[in-house]
Amino acid sequence: ISSEIEVLRSRVLMTRVVQKKNLQFSYFVKGKIKTANIYRASPFHIEVLKISDSTAAFTLKLKFADQKSFRVNGEETLVGFDQMFQNQFGTFKLVRNHQGTVSRDYSIIYQPLASAAASFAGGIQVAPKSAGTGILNISMQSPNPMLAADVINQLMDEYGGYTREFKKRTADSSLVFIEARLEKFGRELDSVQNELLEYSQKNNLIDISKQSTAYFENISGADKAINEQQLQMNTADFIEIYLREKKNSYSPVLVPSSLGLSDATLNGLVSSYNNMQMERQ
């Protein structure tokens, strides 16, 4: 549960929410008493044609002369809806939403993606509903209830998608690892069978099972132990080769940690490595 709480409050997940809901732009109207956030109630929305610096926040202050034209950041030039305008922040266009009349003063605030995600993620509250249960309460305080509801609903959608992607990556990683081992063992098995045939022909062995029963009974126990150790050595070799390849230094493919290895210390190290890979990603 603690891990899931961290995922729900993570910036990575909130970044998806901000992108889906276009929350880098916030709309405010200046009233007689206070300035209010008008999310989903704005009579217009901004279309970005070009941003000069997407890593820097900025504010566009709009003062409407009438219902169709406005000035941006105190400039003298009047701009109309659907008309392109340009300033030091970039090139934009204001599009009418046809929702009610237009007031006089508005502000549009832009935040870089990382900053917006951090801001919204910091406002999310996730806590167990009661001790000993797997039920979580997710809440967000905001002066605009529709904004908070949309953020939480979209967060849950993105969480479901993230969970499916994580499980798929883990399964794909195990399949790739197993397929590589099967391919190697297949080649080795073909080689052993060819050697057995050559040995039988060279030594004129007609009934191998009867002629070698006594021999195999004596060494079967030793062979079994050797084979078990060899399998574990092969698995360890695969892991070592994977870790030594530079192309896998920052790869999202995880190293399987429980494919025949009985060493608890090694499994613990591989598990820690996978956790750090996921945390870094």
Side-chain angles (χ1 to χ4, degrees), residues 26-30 35 59-62 105-109:
S26 300
Y27 300 84
F28 297 88
V29 61
K30 184 178 180 180
T35 299
T59 300
L60 299 176
K61 294 184 177 181
L62 311 179
D105 295 317
Y106 291 88
S107 295
I108 301 177
I109 298 178

Side-chain angles (χ1 to χ4, degrees), residues 161-179 242 251-259 270-271 274-275 277-278 281:
Y162 169 83
T163 302
R164 290 190 296 271
E165 292 170 12
F166 178 79
K167 290 180 179 179
K168 183 178 183 300
R169 283 200 304 269
T170 303
D172 289 345
S173 172
S174 298
L175 286 175
V176 170
F177 196 87
I178 292 171
E179 286 173 357
Y242 175 88
S251 172
V253 178
L254 305 181
V255 179
S257 59
S258 58
L259 296 176
V270 172
S271 178
N274 287 338
N275 289 336
Q277 282 281 53
M278 290 305 301
Q281 184 185 357

Side-chain angles (χ1 to χ4, degrees), residues 232-271:
Q232 295 204 26
M233 288 177 62
N234 289 340
T235 300
D237 288 341
F238 273 113
I239 294 177
E240 181 179 9
I241 292 171
Y242 175 88
L243 293 175
R244 287 183 181 277
E245 291 186 356
K246 292 184 178 180
K247 67 178 181 178
N248 296 327
S249 295
Y250 304 113
S251 172
V253 178
L254 305 181
V255 179
S257 59
S258 58
L259 296 176
L261 293 177
S262 58
D263 192 308
T265 301
L266 178 57
N267 280 329
L269 291 173
V270 172
S271 178

Side-chain angles (χ1 to χ4, degrees), residues 217-231:
E217 286 178 351
N218 292 331
I219 66 171
S220 60
D223 283 346
K224 182 179 179 180
I226 292 173
N227 288 335
E228 290 177 353
Q229 292 298 320
Q230 188 63 46
L231 286 175

Side-chain angles (χ1 to χ4, degrees), residues 67 101 127 234:
Q67 293 294 308
T101 59
N234 289 340

Side-chain angles (χ1 to χ4, degrees), residues 101-169:
T101 59
V102 178
S103 298
R104 180 171 176 80
D105 295 317
Y106 291 88
S107 295
I108 301 177
I109 298 178
Y110 167 83
Q111 294 185 83
L113 183 58
S115 299
S119 175
F120 284 108
I124 293 291
Q125 302 295 323
V126 184
K129 186 175 182 180
S130 58
T133 68
I135 301 174
L136 298 175
N137 278 335
I138 305 175
S139 60
M140 177 181 177
Q141 291 188 355
S142 171
N144 189 306
M146 289 187 294
L147 173 61
D150 281 358
V151 168
I152 291 179
N153 288 333
Q154 189 64 40
L155 178 66
M156 297 312 301
D157 288 342
E158 298 303 326
Y159 172 76
Y162 169 83
T163 302
R164 290 190 296 271
E165 292 170 12
F166 178 79
K167 290 180 179 179
K168 183 178 183 300
R169 283 200 304 269

